[in-house]
Amino acid sequence: MTIREERESRASIWHELLERKISRRAVLAGAAAGAAAALPLDLRTAAAAPLGAPRAQGKLPFSPINPSSADAIVLPRGFRYDLLAHRGHDMGDGSLFGDNADFTAFFPLDLLQKGVDKNAVHRGFLRSDLSSTDGLLVVNHEYFNPMFLTGYAGGPKSDEQRAAEQHMVGLSVIRVKRGKDGRWFFDQSDAAHNRRIDARTPILLTGPAAGIDGGPWVSGTLGNCSGGATPWGTALSCEENFQDYPAAAPEGYGWDPAVYGRRHYGWVVEVDPFDKSSTPRKHTAMGRFRHENVAIRVGKDGSVVAYMGDDKADSCVYKFVADRKLTDLADRPGNMAILESGRLYAADFGAGKWILLDYDSQEALRAAVDGKGAPLFASQADVLADARAAALVLKATPVDRPEDIEVHPLDGSVYVALTNNTGHGNYHGQIVRLVEKDGNPAAASFEWGVFAVGGPQSGFSSPDNLVFDGDGNLWMVTDISSSRVGKGIYSFQGNNGMFFFRTSGPDAGVAYQFLSAPVEAELTGPTWSPDGQTLFLSVQHPGEESKSISELSSHWPIGGREIPRSGVIAITGFPRKK
Amino acid sequence: MIEGLIVHERTVLGALDSFSGTLVRSRPYLAAAYGAILEEFAARWLDSGYPNEIDAVSDNWVRAFIASSEDRQLAREALRAFFVWAFEQKLVATHALTNVLD
């Protein structure tokens, strides 16, 4: 079989599987709805919603909005937002809030005193009685706009330009409070907590590949996309498009390849938001690829499992099972070592199995060679450092750009957003749902089905970040690229937006729009406060495709003729539970 | 060998998607102008019945597309940037296309 023939045979794997699932669902929905109800996966929800406005089954927590192309945050009546911080915001110590805010995680200030709830996956393991008015917000910064930042418009970069860029990625930890007037604000005076971690902050590698390319000490973190929270009160930040940084300008960012070209980027970074002097750590046991996010689930026996997606078309879904169990919630220092060792798996959707990426036990990894006959891997460190190649060697299933993965708080099923894959003709993406065998997160096998399919019939395209609420409803933000949003086949949606889905009942899988983003912006990092009354959200890259400083396509958030700024907001107005 | 099995970026549309992602991060001010030309390039290639495979694109076809473009200079710049990137990503095997664009 030639490379092209093999490529074509693999190209069809994911789409054949999808078609099989959807065909099966169509049969079940039409002729045997009762049988369908008995399935562990409610495949009926894969049915395309009827064209036109969806009809809600029961009362929604908001009145859905229509698609919008306004350069504004559009919310349903009764909701409002407060801007907490934007690119270049003074952190109070001379450092600046970074660009293109992405993941957010809220850590109530009383968390260390009161503890966590290891079952509250939708709240980042926060107890419901923790403070919902005072805490630390961890915010990722994925990349930056060189023109907005330094006026860069091609050609060589100065050292000053590169230094400014290196400060704009990484993470921010900011103290946020809700005042008596109900408005949220960033308290810049909290020097004990407000912190920037950027591309020059010393960071430690842990695990089997800690010594790779001169490790364990590495220079900073970059490409910080989404992330996750742990049940011991730390934040996980995922490094995604690390390949852009060492590439020569203007095609890449033109950062020193001797530093930023090492295999020190593309990992999951753990940060303790409560200790400003703590050293962030990159956990190599969790693999290196274009990490989108990480969703942790704790099994009944204390097993700690992390689900992760490789945000690139034709890439895989991963699961990490830690060696150590979570048995003592009070042992925070000990628990912070849990992600340093474990087993990494990739999903085979054809067989419904998790494939172990292990150099010692997998003959195919030891035998794998490149096009010139040289071994692809010489150790487990090599396997972890190129987990994507290892997964493909072992015939894990390449899927249509796996982005966010989240765990359902009521049934433990795992939702995966597959944004799109235009090369396969999948323009609008879908959300799929996995159920582990016997509900055990550390299981070796799973079942899966389609939860929702993007397109004009469902009102949304290109699903990305996800978050559940306490009732098991799914909230999703979309990622239609700036060059396509609002145009052609994507025009039905207007700007990018945020959508609400019930996950059970007659309208499960039907999308209701909650929010519309400013021009060319993408919404990211949805996170709830413990009481469910505030939703934190990032507004990334408004006006991203502006041709010049004098030809701006957005002016959000300041308006007038201002340069657009990415930022993070707090949305309030959610109905109180009775 | 493994990279050869990656389907998405070896299609014309998939390669354009990945290139657009890189461009919008590193040179966002060019993304709209280049994107419009490259979208048209891909649409005309596929509408002509050619395969959705980036390594099937011929230098003659690229030359003809540029010649028929309203803004030839911009079309040349956009296609050059795209094919230089594709060559660096090992998606096309030769400099043939970039030679056409010099």
Side-chain angles (χ1 to χ4, degrees), chain A residues 49 52-55 62 64 452-453 457-460 476 499-502 507-514:
Chain A
R55 185 172 297 171
F62 60 91
V453 178
Q457 82 289 347
S458 48
F460 73 89
M476 176 275 287
F499 294 82
F500 167 95
F501 304 83
R502 284 190 241 268
D507 61 345
V510 174
Y512 301 96
Q513 187 162 1
F514 172 71

Side-chain angles (χ1 to χ4, degrees), chain A residues 4 7 144-146 153-154 241 243-244 250-251 253 312-314 392-393 421-423 427 484 544-547, chain B residues 2-11 13-14 17 22 24-29 31-32 39 52-53 55:
Chain A
R4 178 168 291 187
R7 190 197 310 161
F144 50 85
N145 185 314
N241 285 303
Q243 76 285 349
D244 290 339
E251 287 82 11
Y253 290 129
K312 184 172 166 61
D314 299 327
L392 292 174
V393 164
N421 186 328
T422 52
Y427 295 97
R484 292 183 170 150
E544 175 169 59
E545 297 208 351
S546 296
K547 292 175 185 167
Chain B
I2 295 302
E3 286 305 313
L5 297 174
I6 305 305
V7 179
H8 178 263
E9 286 182 353
R10 294 183 180 275
T11 65
L13 294 174
D17 254 10
T22 301
V24 84
R25 290 191 295 271
S26 60
R27 290 178 288 173
Y29 46 90
E39 293 268 352
N52 190 13
E53 298 265 356
D55 55 4

Side-chain angles (χ1 to χ4, degrees), chain B residues 47-60:
Chain B
D47 288 350
S48 300
Y50 293 117
N52 190 13
E53 298 265 356
I54 187 173
D55 55 4
V57 177
S58 69
D59 51 356
N60 279 340

Side-chain angles (χ1 to χ4, degrees), chain A residues 316-318 345-349 353-355 395-397 434 446:
Chain A
C316 300
V317 172
Y318 296 83
Y345 299 83
D348 175 349
F349 283 88
K353 290 189 183 312
W354 293 103
I355 302 171
K395 299 194 185 304
T397 309
L434 277 69
F446 60 88

